[in-house]
């Protein structure tokens, strides 16, 4: 039986960490790295799990495993375009599926991204001391952004869904205002740029962003300079994702 699963972008480190926790008590009988007829050294990589935690994982290789109950299986892991892929080989498909399901359940329950600020395709953002006194905004715009922070901090995940459009020429404080919101709001913050859309596609970026934001609520999602990815189709998708 072959069982496939994958996780990428900013969630890659959390998934690898959750998988390692589920492998506690299992014995690694051997680690190899076969690429066709060629054998290479197994590849280990230091991967960010959160803004304050990283760990080293096997990211390209083949492992033979013996479970505490004697269950034997193997898995191959590889990295491609920022995604971590796993293929499990086992004669007991139920146990293999249970291992994968437990990994995802662990990640859902202990998601290290909650409360963090990050880009969807990968990379954590540093919250610094930038505040309202250091930027120049028109009073009406500053009041609007402050209101967002106040609502999120007062109501948390129970705050009603709402959106704000920041529009204007360069130098009017749109990006800096968004950074102050990131610093001031007690929420998970997803900063989505054209790079994320390029790597994940328009559909994948919208769906993954809002799906992750719901799981990590209270959340703020910022889409910055993604005009080329806004079409009639993605506008409809955006409205669907924001509803409820």
């Amino acid at each position: 039986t072959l069982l496939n699963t994958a996780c990428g972008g900013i969630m890659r480190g959390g998934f690898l960490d959750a998988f390692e926790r589920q492998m506690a008590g299992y014995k690694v009988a051997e680690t190899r790295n076969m690429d066709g007829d060629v054998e290479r050294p197994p590849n280990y990589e230091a991967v960010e799990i959160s803004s304050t935690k990283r760990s080293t994982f096997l990211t390209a290789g083949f492992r033979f495993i013996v479970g505490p109950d004697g269950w034997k299986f193997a898995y191959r892991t590889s990295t491609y375009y920022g995604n971590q892929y796993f293929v499990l080989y086992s004669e007991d498909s139920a146990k293999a599926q249970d291992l994968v399901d437990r990994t995802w359940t662990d990640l859902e329950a202990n998601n290290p991204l909650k409360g963090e600020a990050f880009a969807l395709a990968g990379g954590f953002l540093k919250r610094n001391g930038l505040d309202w006194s250091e930027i120049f905004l028109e009073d009406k715009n500053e009041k609007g952004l402050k209101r967002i922070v106040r609502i999120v901090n007062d109501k948390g995940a129970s705050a009603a869904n709402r959106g704000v459009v920041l529009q204007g020429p360069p130098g009017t404080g749109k990006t800096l205002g968004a950074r102050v919101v990131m610093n001031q709001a007690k929420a998970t913050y997803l900063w989505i740029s054209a790079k994320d859309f390029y790597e994940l596609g328009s559909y994948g970026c919208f769906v993954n962003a809002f799906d992750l934001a719901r799981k990590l609520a209270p959340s703020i999602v910022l889409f910055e300079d993604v005009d080329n990815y806004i079409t009639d189709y993605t506008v409809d998708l955006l409205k669907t994702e924001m509803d409820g």
Side-chain angles (χ1 to χ4, degrees), residues 28 55 75 81 84 86 92 115 161 189 196-197 203 210 227:
V28 178
S55 190
Y75 73 86
Y81 279 100
Q84 195 67 44
F86 284 83
D92 193 327
N161 291 343
Y189 201 98
D196 302 283
F197 274 84
Y203 178 88
F210 280 96
D227 309 57

Side-chain angles (χ1 to χ4, degrees), residues 90-128:
S90 172
E91 293 182 349
D92 193 327
S93 59
K95 286 187 176 181
Q97 185 65 62
D98 179 65
L99 175 60
V100 171
D101 290 345
R102 284 189 284 113
T103 299
W104 283 110
T105 300
D106 184 322
L107 180 57
E108 292 280 342
N110 305 287
N111 200 315
L113 300 180
K114 190 170 180 63
E116 292 278 9
F118 53 84
L120 190 62
F124 290 92
L125 306 176
K126 185 177 181 180
R127 286 184 165 109
N128 53 35

Side-chain angles (χ1 to χ4, degrees), residues 130-194:
L130 185 69
D131 61 24
W132 304 112
S133 66
E134 298 177 73
I135 63 174
F136 300 94
L137 293 172
E138 291 186 16
D139 287 343
K140 63 178 182 179
N141 295 333
E142 184 172 322
K143 288 179 180 178
L145 293 177
K146 284 183 175 179
R147 184 170 182 267
I148 293 172
V149 174
R150 184 173 66 254
I151 290 173
V152 170
N153 289 350
D154 289 348
K155 297 186 177 182
S158 65
N161 291 343
R162 61 186 67 237
V164 174
V165 176
L166 304 179
Q167 181 177 333
T172 52
K174 300 185 300 297
T175 298
L176 285 178
R179 288 194 176 276
V180 175
V181 170
M182 179 181 73
N183 291 336
Q184 300 289 323
K186 299 174 183 176
T188 305
Y189 201 98
L190 291 75
W191 195 302
I192 315 297
S193 68

Side-chain angles (χ1 to χ4, degrees), residues 15-49:
F15 182 87
L16 288 165
D17 195 42
F19 184 74
E20 288 292 312
R21 283 195 294 271
Q22 296 309 311
M23 292 294 291
Y26 289 72
K27 179 182 177 182
V28 178
E30 190 174 4
T31 301
R32 307 280 291 276
N33 188 13
M34 301 296 298
D35 184 6
D37 295 330
V38 179
E39 181 165 8
R40 296 184 172 87
N43 187 70
Y44 295 87
E45 182 183 348
V47 181
E48 287 185 314
I49 299 170

